[in-house]
Amino acid sequence: MKCLKKSIVIFITAVCLLITGCESTGSLSKLPSSSFHEDKQKLTILHINAEKKGFQEFIRQAEEKLNMEITVEKCPDNADNRQAKISTILASGDKTVDLISVNDEMISEFKHKGYLVSLEEDVMTEETRKGFPQKYLESICGADGHIYSVPFLMDVMMFWVNQEFLDQAGLDEIKDMDDIYTLQKSITDPDKFAYGDAWENTHVYNSIGEFVNFWGGDYLDWMNPRTQEAVRSMKKMLEDGITSPAQLVDQYEQLEEKFIRGKYGCIFMYAGSLNTFRDANVYGKNKIHMAPLPQFQEKATNIATWQYVLNNASEHKEAAVKFLQYAASYEGCVDYAKLVKSYPARLDVIEKEDINLEEIDMVREYLQKYTLNARPLCENSMEAISNMGTLFQEYVLGECEDEDFFEQAQKCIETYYK
């Protein structure tokens, strides 16, 4: 019993000495580092590709390289729901999400609201920015001299054709609008069309901007004759039966699905759709594939990206910056491209690196030969896009005359693009 009491006294004394020692130094961190296990930095990312195996492997590899624990949560698939959820997270000061994947429309709004951490000093330095499309960074990712996002996925608006339609029409390629009309003449099924699109009021903005590019117009100037001619050509395609009135309610998901089913001979769609067409077993040189742009007036197309933003309310900013530095680096973009099988946002990686992506040569041709434009977006982009889309739908359905539409479109621009 005496031995037991003595052992207890010794144990209590040792504990007291340990506590006293800690208090004298003011912090447990002053003890030898070998006495403790250093926890890994933690990070939570809300991401569009959370459920894709390639992205999951990219995150696993990033965890190893950065000695970090990364939790990935899925963004809603529906664009409106996604925008609403992310807006709520940022506006409410939600601390549970550190990094968020956003598109051009979202960054154009969020970068003005104080929700995001600026990244030009620690991540998007002058040297790092050289690898990305410069004008795009300035107009989409930047505001008031700051950079608020890190692009990770490049999406180029490409011209896609269904080779079976071309073969039926006796066309080697579609070089201009006349060829699109030739394509239509060869179609005997009344439920098929030479050209398909997504003209739902929140999606048609992309097509309007693309056709304005083709005609050498200016989306911000609806008194410009070339801008006017661009939308006149879209209306004429509908009137001439080159395209379907059913697409007035279609978003990209419906457009892709109809193209896969063989309803359209050609479409304009972002490069990222390649995975969708491949997974549907319709991708290939004799089926659906990318093609050079037809010649209208100008050879220009839109580019867009998905980007990371750093939540200003994040409690893990150090870990977030560490991850972003990797994601923005040449190495990180190469890893992303190879694992996720998507085109990275860095132009130097696309141009120089053997990343073994399908259609990479066609994407390089677009980057080298065509003018690449960032879409003109404003702070309240979704409302502006929707309003312009509604005006366009009224116009192509004959509910307003040309001059009335152009005047209303210009008022829309003056209201939102200040």
Side-chain angles (χ1 to χ4, degrees):
M1 180 63 73
K2 289 182 179 178
C3 292
L4 176 60
K5 289 181 179 179
K6 184 175 181 181
S7 298
I8 293 173
V9 170
I10 293 172
F11 174 76
I12 293 173
T13 302
V15 170
C16 291
L17 288 172
L18 177 60
I19 293 173
T20 303
C22 292
E23 290 176 346
S24 66
T25 59
S27 171
L28 286 171
S29 64
K30 297 296 184 181
L31 292 172
S33 58
S34 60
S35 301
F36 295 90
H37 176 264
E38 183 180 353
D39 290 336
K40 293 182 178 179
Q41 290 180 306
K42 292 179 173 58
L43 192 64
T44 298
I45 305 175
L46 185 65
H47 206 281
I48 53 165
N49 292 331
E51 296 176 350
K52 293 187 176 181
K53 291 183 179 179
F55 182 72
Q56 291 170 357
E57 178 60 22
F58 172 73
I59 291 298
R60 187 199 64 76
Q61 183 169 295
E63 287 181 313
E64 291 183 357
K65 288 189 174 186
L66 304 176
N67 190 32
M68 190 179 293
E69 291 181 8
I70 303 174
T71 300
V72 181
E73 299 178 0
K74 181 74 167 63
C75 288
D77 290 323
N78 178 271
D80 293 333
N81 294 341
R82 182 171 58 238
Q83 177 104 3
K85 177 172 182 175
I86 295 174
S87 294
T88 300
I89 289 172
L90 293 174
S92 66
D94 188 333
K95 301 177 181 179
T96 61
V97 177
D98 305 300
L99 295 174
I100 303 172
S101 65
V102 300
N103 59 14
D104 290 9
E105 289 85 348
M106 286 188 276
I107 186 62
S108 295
E109 175 184 344
F110 299 153
K111 67 185 180 182
H112 296 289
K113 295 185 178 294
Y115 298 155
L116 310 176
V117 176
S118 60
L119 303 169
E120 68 277 358
E121 292 186 6
D122 297 322
V123 181
M124 297 298 283
T125 62
E126 183 177 353
E127 184 61 30
T128 298
R129 292 198 298 270
K130 291 178 181 178
F132 295 85
Q134 298 301 297
K135 291 183 179 179
Y136 175 86
L137 284 182
E138 293 172 8
S139 62
I140 300 297
C141 307
D144 302 322
H146 299 287
I147 299 291
Y148 288 98
S149 64
V150 176
F152 62 88
L153 181 153
M154 171 74 74
D155 235 353
V156 182
M157 184 66 84
M158 311 289 293
F159 186 54
W160 295 83
V161 299
N162 184 329
Q163 190 62 39
E164 293 178 357
F165 277 69
L166 271 65
D167 291 344
Q168 179 180 317
L171 294 170
D172 294 328
E173 61 178 315
I174 296 177
K175 301 182 295 296
D176 50 33
M177 187 62 79
D178 288 342
D179 285 342
I180 294 178
Y181 274 76
T182 298
L183 195 65
Q184 185 63 44
K185 290 177 182 178
S186 70
I187 298 173
T188 57
D189 188 335
D191 196 41
K192 294 185 177 182
F193 299 86
Y195 176 74
D197 212 329
W199 283 6
E200 185 266 345
N201 70 318
T202 65
H203 278 61
V204 71
Y205 162 84
N206 292 300
S207 299
I208 296 172
E210 192 74 352
F211 273 76
V212 168
N213 283 336
F214 297 152
W215 263 259
D218 181 353
Y219 183 83
L220 302 181
D221 182 6
W222 285 88
M223 298 300 105
N224 184 324
R226 291 193 174 190
T227 306
Q228 296 175 356
E229 186 61 26
V231 291
R232 283 195 182 102
S233 71
M234 298 173 75
K235 181 180 181 181
K236 190 173 189 301
M237 281 199 296
L238 184 62
E239 293 172 340
D240 293 346
I242 302 299
T243 197
S244 169
Q247 69 195 28
L248 285 161
V249 296
D250 287 348
Q251 298 186 356
Y252 282 153
E253 290 81 0
Q254 291 76 37
L255 172 59
E256 290 173 333
E257 189 269 334
K258 289 179 179 180
F259 196 43
I260 288 169
R261 287 195 290 110
K263 187 178 179 71
Y264 301 133
C266 62
I267 65 173
F268 292 101
M269 175 58 75
Y270 284 108
S273 295
L274 189 150
N275 292 333
T276 301
F277 300 144
R278 184 183 57 226
D279 293 345
N281 199 32
V282 295
Y283 166 74
K285 290 301 180 185
N286 296 320
K287 298 179 182 180
I288 287 174
H289 60 87
M290 295 179 188
L293 284 178
Q295 179 70 57
F296 300 109
Q297 297 292 329
E298 302 289 339
K299 290 237 174 181
T301 193
N302 287 330
I303 60 169
T305 73
W306 279 89
Q307 309 147 48
Y308 294 109
V309 294
L310 174 50
N311 181 3
N312 203 29
S314 167
E315 295 182 333
H316 304 106
K317 290 187 176 67
E318 182 179 342
V321 166
K322 187 176 180 180
F323 175 86
L324 291 176
Q325 288 171 337
Y326 167 65
S329 70
Y330 191 95
E331 175 192 1
C333 282
V334 171
D335 290 343
Y336 174 83
K338 291 183 175 180
L339 294 171
V340 185
K341 302 299 182 186
S342 294
Y343 305 108
R346 285 187 66 130
L347 295 179
D348 52 358
V349 172
I350 294 177
E351 292 169 351
K352 300 176 184 178
E353 196 70 25
D354 182 15
I355 48 181
N356 194 30
L357 292 176
E358 292 169 311
E359 298 278 14
I360 187 66
D361 289 337
M362 184 60 70
V363 171
R364 286 172 178 153
E365 180 176 330
Y366 272 57
L367 297 181
Q368 293 166 2
K369 292 185 177 181
Y370 305 149
T371 300
L372 304 178
N373 295 325
R375 296 171 299 159
L377 293 165
C378 60
E379 182 174 345
N380 197 354
S381 58
M382 292 309 296
E383 184 176 319
I385 287 169
S386 179
N387 286 351
M388 183 65 82
T390 299
L391 289 174
F392 174 83
Q393 288 185 342
E394 293 173 352
Y395 170 62
V396 297
L397 290 174
E399 297 175 9
C400 64
E401 298 299 323
D402 286 18
E403 296 308 318
D404 185 33
F405 167 66
F406 298 142
E407 289 177 6
Q408 292 186 61
Q410 190 60 40
K411 287 180 182 178
C412 182
I413 293 298
E414 292 171 357
T415 298
Y416 293 104
Y417 293 80
K418 298 176 180 178

